[in-house]
Amino acid sequence: GAVVSQHPSWVICKSGTSVKIECRSLDFQATTMFWYRQFPKQSLMLMATSNEGSKATYEQGVEKDKFLINHASLTLSTLTVTSAHPEDSSFYICSAGLQAGETQYFGPGTRLLVL
Amino acid sequence: DAKTTQPPSMDCAEGRAANLPCNHSTISGNEYVYWYRQIHSQGPQYIIHGLKNNETNEMASLIITEDRKSSTLILPHATLRDTAVYYCIVSTGRWGKLQFGAGTQVVVTP
């Protein structure tokens, strides 16, 4: 149990386009999901907290208009990178918290390359 | 800033126990100790967590000192597939943010 999936697993796009990444909890409901970003040879950095049915909470320095988060159901959160630029190239990872319990489970990640 | 301190790297022989230390001297009473690991180019994998008592599951054991200021993750019989970056994180539980530090790069050698 406690499986989190992400789609796509990797994406290449042109500069200026928008990219949507999906995060799904496959076998449990997640009121709260988290989005992280990881640059090469660095640790994970929390970008935002996504709550079902409400606006996401962004960490300091993360542009909410650039990284749009929608958490429309208890099993799906989406991250849209708008007007992507090469510096947005990174490994994007989501996590979801079990409603009954104290643990977050992570997705496999989405590798984004902006040309 | 991360609330934990871990050694940057450790080597371990295959088949031997791996003991990974973590200091969290400023841990609060309602914060859990979590351990995750990240194998190259994958999402972090949950290993174990605890509040006060020692914990054991099919992957590892977690030993938390009585004052809760440090803990040790024990991989009882390390395999080559245990090579990964191991992160020790303190957090308030399922709604709490996970702040990742640099972790410990564990390399298991034959």
Side-chain angles (χ1 to χ4, degrees), chain A residues 35 37 45-49 57-69 79 92:
Chain A
W35 286 96
R37 180 168 53 180
M45 294 295 293
L46 179 64
M47 298 175 66
T49 302
T57 303
Y58 292 83
E59 295 299 299
Q60 191 172 7
V62 177
E63 300 175 57
K64 63 179 181 180
D65 294 330
K66 180 169 185 61
F67 299 99
L68 301 179
I69 292 173
L79 168 69
Y92 292 87

Side-chain angles (χ1 to χ4, degrees), chain A residues 38 43 59 99 101-102 104, chain B residues 34 36 38 49 94 96-97 101:
Chain A
Q38 185 175 32
S43 190
E59 295 299 299
Q99 283 189 296
E102 306 95 22
Q104 292 180 33
Chain B
Y34 290 87
Y36 286 84
Q38 186 177 28
H49 77 282
R94 59 189 164 109
K97 300 176 184 179

Side-chain angles (χ1 to χ4, degrees), chain A residues 31-32 34 36 38 43-44 46 59 91 93 98-99 101-108 111, chain B residues 32 34 36 38 41-46 49 87 93-102:
Chain A
T31 306
T32 302
F34 301 85
Y36 296 79
Q38 185 175 32
S43 190
L44 282 78
L46 179 64
E59 295 299 299
F91 191 44
I93 311 167
L98 286 174
Q99 283 189 296
E102 306 95 22
T103 305
Q104 292 180 33
Y105 292 90
F106 285 80
R111 196 162 299 280
Chain B
Y32 292 80
Y34 290 87
Y36 286 84
Q38 186 177 28
S41 297
Q42 297 181 23
Q45 177 188 20
Y46 166 77
H49 77 282
Y87 297 99
R94 59 189 164 109
W95 309 131
K97 300 176 184 179
L98 298 180
Q99 301 282 5
F100 284 79

